[in-house]
């Protein structure tokens, strides 16, 4: 049997993976490995970090140095690694909960310091692994396991948050845009400094069924497509129209010295 | 990074306790410090911020204690000897990261300068939290210095134990000794025992990352050495794969706890004071040892055969030493600066062989010699 061309990058003893059928996080694993393969990333000098949640399993399935299993502390781990061994390439795979709920405090400081890491935020708009509870990214009025009458909270715009806090590469794409997503990951991998790529993904099992009344991955992807606009088009739209839309594109790309420690002489 | 200063400041000094901790860490090879401001531990991070960059290491001030303690994990797995310092309230936050370090077997040193809740007065009230605070099963090594010299010596030892057993080791300091200035002798390099973690002696394809005899930690390669290990909090098999299997879980946590409890003779240290012919023994740890020894000496002048057993390792409990003591003396006084916490351990181990009483003080002040003397006189009445 012919093997998938990216098979060689997977950690054999961690398979089979545990993603649900139609899961967007599994697509992100595919996009990332494709990007890494095209860039010929040195897998011996590469650390993949995951916190807790579905997305956090992505580096578990890759045959790399990996850290996994604590919710929200991906950036602190990465900080210790990069400050002690700056030559290592560090990539964080965080869900929206890991990145903007429990780990939100670390996110803004990682951006502020311009820590030289890539952070891929797989935003499925819910806490998928725990059963579809409301996340800081769940759109307003949408139903979830803990907002049965519709979400009463305002959602975070993770890209705006990262931009304001000082990240030097910020982009947002979706699993409905595989090529753009892969290219953004490549740009992030090539960038020096805090690079955040947010990927809006479908979670048919726990977001789709509760918020969109459908467990179909295709229907969930359609919904993401219908609600996405390019950053160019967004410039022509008024704020009210944009409120529930996912604006896609590259928002920040700039050079700044990277973090080397709090006291340097 | 520039290396313009010496790491090892051999010689005789008059030094602040918190600074002695820093010098002990540097002497042991510490090259990564992360911490968040908190009194009375601030002199540690401030001195580190001066010393680290000038000795080729990293100083990092995290946005909180959680960030600091997890940065230690990242640095330690990249090959660093890493330390943080905090005080009681800050230690609460660090428990999460300490639990992770236990599960993933990551060497690190945590200094806790105990303080009264919300205030910087003398206390030993965290002695149980240091042992039991982290979630999940664990054995902790906790060292209890009683002087500025011991803050230096025990910090060096904490690094050595952390490296040997691949586990977080805690130095339990106190406001009393951390903010005290005393004589400190820093030895020459050839008089200092330094332990470095074992690295694999086989290539990556032959290395089984979590395989070790049941009383040892496995070798630990650094990130970038090519071993590509998965370090997870989740139960993992010997290859490092996340595996839920009761047999795998039981075996893993047996080894993680047994590597400490089975090495009693290597880990436990106590110090005897006038115990050879003692009828009554004071059991102390940390700064309370100081007035207790003075009181024992004073009691001897009055014809009472008193002595002191100072516990230098307080976790794991020096059970063999306490048991031996309980068979030798008629009475034990458990002396501590809290509502009576470690006293329970002493009663558990010694209570069947001799009488154990508590000498407690919980008002932000260390016992005076006369207070302990009165307790001795009361006990022998």
């Amino acid at each position: 049997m012919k093997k998938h061309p990216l098979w060689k990058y997977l950690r054999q003893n961690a398979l089979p993976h545990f993603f649900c059928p139609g899961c967007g996080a599994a697509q992100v694993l595919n996009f990332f490995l494709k990007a890494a393969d095209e860039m010929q990333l040195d897998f011996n000098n590469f650390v993949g970090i995951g916190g807790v949640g579905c997305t956090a399993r992505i580096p578990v399935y890759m045959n790399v140095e990996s850290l996994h299993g604590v919710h929200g502390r991906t950036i602190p781990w990465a900080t210790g690694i990069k400050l002690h061994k700056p030559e290592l390439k560090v990539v964080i795979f965080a869900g929206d909960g890991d990145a903007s709920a429990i780990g939100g405090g670390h996110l803004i400081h990682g951006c502020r310091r311009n820590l030289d890491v890539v952070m891929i935020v797989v935003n499925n708009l819910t806490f998928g692994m725990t059963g579809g509870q409301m996340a800081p990214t769940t759109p307003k009025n949408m139903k979830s396991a803990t907002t049965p009458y519709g979400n009463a909270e305002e959602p975070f715009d993770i890209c705006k948050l990262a931009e304001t806090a000082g990240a030097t590469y910020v982009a947002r794409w979706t699993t409905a845009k595989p090529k753009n997503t892969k290219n953004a990951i490549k740009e992030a991998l090539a960038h020096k400094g805090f690079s955040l790529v947010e990927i809006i993904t479908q979670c048919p099992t726990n977001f789709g069924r509760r918020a969109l009344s459908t467990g179909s991955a295709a229907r969930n992807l359609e919904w993401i497509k219908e609600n996405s606009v390019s950053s160019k088009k967004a410039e022509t739209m008024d704020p009210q129209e944009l409120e529930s839309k996912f604006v896609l594109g590259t928002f920040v790309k700039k050079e700044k010295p990277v973090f080397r420690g709090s006291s340097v002489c | 990074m520039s290396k313009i200063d010496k790491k090892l400041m051999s010689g005789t000094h008059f030094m602040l306790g918190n600074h002695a901790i820093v010098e002990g860490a540097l002497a042991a090879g510490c090259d990564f410090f992360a911490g968040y401001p908190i009194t009375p531990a601030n002199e540690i991070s401030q001195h580190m911020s001066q010393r680290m960059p000038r000795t080729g290491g990293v100083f990092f001030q995290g946005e909180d204690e959680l960030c600091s303690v997890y940065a230690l994990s990242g640095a330690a797995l990249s090959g660093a000897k890493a330390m943080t310092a905090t005080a009681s309230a800050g230690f609460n936050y660090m428990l999460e990261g300490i639990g992770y370090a236990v599960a993933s077997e990551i060497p690190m040193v945590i200094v806790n300068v105990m303080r009264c809740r919300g205030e910087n007065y003398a206390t030993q009230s965290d002695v149980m939290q240091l042992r039991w605070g982290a979630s999940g099963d664990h054995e902790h090594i906790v060292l209890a210095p009683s002087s500025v010299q011991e803050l230096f010596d025990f910090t060096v030892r904490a690094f050595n134990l952390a490296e040997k057993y691949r586990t977080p080791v805690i130095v339990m300091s106190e406001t009393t000794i951390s903010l005290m200035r005393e004589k400190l002798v820093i030895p020459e390099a050839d008089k200092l025992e330094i332990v470095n973690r074992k690295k694999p002696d086989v290539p990556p394809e032959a290395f089984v990352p979590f395989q070790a005899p049941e009383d040892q930690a496995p070798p630990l390669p650094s990130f970038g050495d090519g071993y590509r290990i998965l370090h997870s909090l989740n139960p993992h098999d010997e290859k490092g794969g996340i595996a839920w299997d009761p047999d795998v879980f039981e075996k893993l946590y047996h080894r993680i706890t047994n590597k400490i409890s089975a090495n009693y003779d290597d880990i436990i240290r106590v110090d005897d004071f006038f115990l050879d012919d003692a009828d009554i023994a004071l059991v102390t740890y940390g700064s309370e040892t100081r007035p207790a020894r003075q009181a024992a000496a004073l009691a001897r002048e009055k014809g009472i055969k008193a002595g002191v057993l100072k516990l230098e390792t307080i976790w794991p409990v020096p059970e063999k030493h306490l048991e031996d003591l309980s068979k030798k003396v008629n009475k034990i006084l458990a002396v501590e600066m809290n509502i009576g916490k470690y006293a329970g351990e002493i009663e558990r181990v010694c209570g069947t062989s001799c009488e154990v009483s508590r000498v407690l003080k919980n008002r932000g002040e260390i016992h005076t010699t006369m207070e302990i003397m009165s307790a001795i006189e009361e006990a022998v009445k």
Side-chain angles (χ1 to χ4, degrees):
Chain A
M1 200 171 73
K2 214 178 154 193
K3 276 189 179 150
H4 192 281
L6 301 174
W7 181 256
K8 61 187 174 198
Y9 297 120
L10 297 179
R11 192 189 291 279
Q12 308 300 330
N13 69 332
L15 298 170
H17 68 69
F18 83 152
F19 299 125
C20 301
C23 172
Q27 272 176 283
V28 173
L29 170 61
N30 190 4
F31 301 157
F32 178 82
L33 289 177
K34 226 168 199 164
D37 186 63
E38 286 175 18
M39 292 186 76
Q40 295 179 300
L41 193 72
D42 173 9
F43 272 61
N44 274 331
N45 281 302
F46 165 35
V47 185
I49 300 183
V52 161
C54 301
T55 301
R57 292 280 171 138
I58 293 176
V60 170
Y61 300 130
M62 294 193 298
N63 186 18
V64 296
E65 310 275 18
S66 354
L67 274 167
H68 165 267
V70 186
H71 202 22
R73 315 297 170 214
T74 56
I75 292 171
W77 271 332
T79 309
I81 295 166
K82 283 301 290 191
L83 290 184
H84 185 70
K85 249 191 184 171
E87 65 272 25
L88 293 172
K89 176 62 84 185
V90 176
V91 182
I92 295 166
F93 296 87
D96 41 315
D98 237 341
S100 72
I102 192 164
H106 303 307
L107 173 66
I108 53 174
H109 294 282
C111 294
R112 171 176 69 83
R113 297 182 180 118
N114 198 30
L115 182 71
D116 183 25
V117 297
V118 176
M119 185 169 195
I120 295 173
V121 180
V122 178
N123 182 0
N124 60 8
L125 312 169
T126 189
F127 283 97
M129 190 193 255
T130 45
Q133 294 80 5
M134 176 259 286
T137 45
T138 304
K140 208 170 177 189
N141 301 323
M142 285 241 162
K143 285 186 181 170
S144 74
T146 48
T147 55
Y149 312 111
N151 182 15
E153 295 193 16
E154 290 290 336
F156 254 148
D157 182 327
I158 293 175
C159 285
K160 274 190 184 160
L161 188 68
E163 179 179 354
T164 311
T168 47
Y169 180 87
V170 181
R172 181 190 291 119
W173 294 101
T174 75
T175 38
K177 296 268 188 196
K179 257 195 187 150
N180 301 84
T181 307
K182 185 196 73 185
N183 288 336
I185 293 171
K186 284 170 82 172
E187 280 196 340
L189 283 169
H191 183 79
K192 265 255 170 260
F194 200 100
S195 313
L196 185 139
V197 181
E198 181 186 356
I199 307 167
I200 308 292
T201 57
Q202 73 282 10
C203 170
T205 307
N206 271 323
F207 181 78
R209 285 189 308 140
R210 294 175 198 280
L212 307 177
S213 309
T214 171
S216 150
R219 292 280 303 281
N220 275 266
L221 265 172
E222 282 300 325
W223 176 82
I224 291 174
K225 269 176 157 174
E226 285 159 18
N227 287 286
S228 299
V229 294
S230 70
S231 52
K232 210 167 183 190
K233 191 178 172 203
E235 283 170 21
T236 66
M237 293 166 69
D238 64 58
Q240 234 171 351
E241 265 184 300
L242 269 174
E243 221 164 58
S244 55
K245 295 282 184 258
F246 306 116
V247 180
L248 310 185
T250 306
F251 307 109
V252 183
K253 199 179 174 182
K254 62 183 180 192
E255 300 296 320
K256 234 176 76 178
V258 299
F259 189 51
R260 293 268 178 252
S262 307
S263 171
V264 179
C265 70
Chain B
M1 293 289 169
S2 37
K3 269 190 189 178
I4 35 187
D5 285 351
K6 281 191 292 188
K7 274 188 116 155
L8 184 63
M9 300 295 281
S10 305
T12 303
H13 307 263
F14 182 65
M15 197 177 280
L16 184 74
N18 275 342
H19 289 180
I21 293 169
V22 173
E23 295 304 332
L26 293 171
C30 175
D31 53 1
F32 188 94
F33 179 89
Y36 183 75
I38 189 163
T39 312
N42 288 320
E43 294 78 10
I44 300 172
S45 55
Q46 286 166 208
H47 196 50
M48 275 289 187
S49 73
Q50 290 176 28
R51 293 280 278 134
M52 269 299 176
R54 291 172 70 90
T55 53
V58 170
F59 172 83
F60 171 52
Q61 183 171 317
E63 58 270 18
D64 53 30
E65 284 85 355
L66 283 158
C67 182
S68 306
V69 75
Y70 282 103
L72 298 194
S73 278
L77 290 176
S78 308
K81 285 191 176 182
M83 182 176 101
T84 185
T86 187
S88 306
F91 189 79
N92 293 339
Y93 305 113
M94 290 195 178
L95 285 166
E96 189 196 294
I98 292 169
Y100 172 75
V102 167
S104 290
E105 302 185 72
I106 305 175
M108 60 175 68
V109 172
I110 298 110
V111 177
N112 180 7
V113 186
M114 290 185 289
R115 66 179 206 189
C116 287
R117 185 174 278 149
E119 296 285 352
N120 302 308
Y121 296 102
T123 187
Q124 294 179 322
S125 54
D126 298 342
V127 66
M128 280 292 160
Q129 191 195 26
L130 299 187
R131 170 63 184 93
W132 295 110
S135 69
D137 284 322
H138 55 266
E139 284 287 343
H140 276 332
I141 302 174
V142 182
L143 309 179
S146 67
S147 65
V148 171
Q149 183 67 49
E150 285 181 355
L151 283 172
F152 177 92
D153 296 341
F154 289 17
T155 302
V156 174
R157 188 161 184 255
F159 273 96
N160 289 345
L161 291 167
E163 291 286 311
K164 184 170 180 181
Y165 295 105
R166 272 187 69 173
T167 193
V169 174
I170 299 166
V171 176
M172 186 188 80
S173 186
E174 305 167 35
T175 303
T176 35
I177 49 173
S178 262
L179 299 184
M180 177 196 290
R181 279 178 201 273
E182 261 184 343
K183 181 180 169 183
L184 167 67
V185 180
I186 300 182
E188 296 295 332
D190 58 352
K191 294 275 181 317
L192 210 58
E193 192 207 349
I194 302 296
V195 177
N196 294 312
R197 71 193 67 167
K198 255 193 300 181
K199 291 253 203 163
D201 50 12
V202 292
E205 57 278 10
F207 184 56
V208 185
F210 294 95
Q211 189 181 55
E214 61 165 7
D215 59 349
Q216 285 177 36
L220 178 62
S222 302
F223 285 155
D225 287 353
Y227 284 80
R228 302 191 188 184
I229 296 165
L230 168 65
H231 297 270
S232 179
L233 176 82
N234 295 38
H236 40 276
D237 58 26
E238 291 184 335
K239 288 179 176 170
I242 295 174
W244 178 253
D245 177 326
D247 292 338
V248 167
F249 181 80
E250 188 180 29
K251 193 175 174 200
L252 175 68
Y253 276 91
H254 170 68
R255 189 179 57 71
I256 283 179
T257 52
N258 190 61
K259 70 182 176 185
I260 292 169
S261 47
N263 287 291
Y264 183 97
D265 293 338
D266 186 44
I267 294 168
I268 302 297
R269 277 195 197 164
V270 301
D271 193 27
D272 290 4
F273 183 79
F274 286 136
L275 276 180
D276 287 344
D277 62 340
D279 296 324
I280 181 165
L282 304 161
V283 176
T284 64
Y285 57 90
S287 67
E288 288 275 67
T289 306
R290 304 168 72 110
R293 281 183 173 175
Q294 288 172 11
L298 207 59
R300 292 256 164 190
E301 284 174 20
K302 294 195 176 180
I304 305 168
K305 285 184 177 173
V308 181
L309 180 70
K310 176 179 70 150
L311 310 180
E312 298 188 345
T313 310
I314 49 161
W315 300 110
V317 178
E319 291 184 1
K320 289 185 206 166
H321 291 88
L322 284 168
E323 232 177 274
D324 288 350
L325 180 72
S326 70
K327 287 171 187 157
K328 238 166 63 181
V329 299
N330 300 321
K331 188 147 193 177
I332 286 175
L333 300 182
V335 184
E336 60 183 332
M337 231 192 307
N338 54 42
I339 58 167
K341 288 178 170 165
Y342 203 81
E345 294 296 317
I346 298 166
E347 286 158 2
R348 174 177 66 80
V349 180
C350 305
T352 48
S353 305
C354 78
E355 202 184 317
V356 180
S357 303
R358 299 174 170 208
V359 182
L360 310 175
K361 190 169 183 182
N362 185 41
R363 39 182 281 119
E365 296 166 339
I366 191 168
H367 273 107
T368 64
T369 302
M370 292 319 293
E371 282 168 344
I372 298 177
M373 183 61 204
S374 305
I376 295 171
E377 285 178 320
E378 186 66 29
V380 295
K381 245 184 209 168

